[in-house]
Amino acid sequence: ALLLEKLTHWLRDMLDEDEAQHRVLDALAQVWDHNPQMLRILCEDIMRKHIVLPVNVVTWVLREASAKRMSHDPRYWDLLRDAVDISFESVSLFAGPLRMEVETAHQANNPGATVNFKDESLVRAVVGQEKLDAGLVCAENAQDLGMELMEKAVTVSQSRRGWGSPT
């Protein structure tokens, strides 16, 4: 864990492509083939450190090769749940404090007025561009993760009902 902490920035730079993150997950799964609990712990750690995006864990778990390997052990599917939890948790960690900060600043300048959170310039003026960008990235990652899950669910549903061939 300490080594991972020291290498976090370097690993983020090296693993900025989705396929590189999938290869890391393949390697971890191969090394910890007989210990899915350790795989889960490491995956959770690298997702929380933003080394691997939760959406990439979802796409990796749902790939045909991974699903075949993992279908024998239900603990692997905990990876899917962890990825969803971490993604939505990161959105709420940004959204809650950001919302409070904007509401507090807006109420100080405009007592009794409601905040229009769709006004990006207002939010940017209060919290700054860097915080706004970080919050938007978290929200976009969670949205991508949700879309990936929906696409896979539709594909599975269609293939089981004969509505079309899986993509």
Side-chain angles (χ1 to χ4, degrees), residues 25 35-45 47-48 54 57-58 60-62 66-67 69-87 145 149:
L25 293 167
N35 191 345
Q37 187 175 15
M38 189 63 190
L39 175 64
R40 182 179 180 195
I41 290 167
L42 287 170
C43 285
E44 183 178 343
D45 200 27
M47 283 189 287
R48 289 196 186 283
V57 172
V58 168
W60 177 78
V61 166
L62 296 175
S66 301
R69 179 178 58 231
M70 292 185 225
S71 64
H72 297 75
D73 190 340
R75 291 179 293 179
Y76 276 108
W77 293 101
D78 290 337
L79 293 173
L80 185 64
R81 189 183 69 228
D82 291 346
V84 172
D85 288 348
I86 289 169
S87 183
L145 185 142
L149 286 173

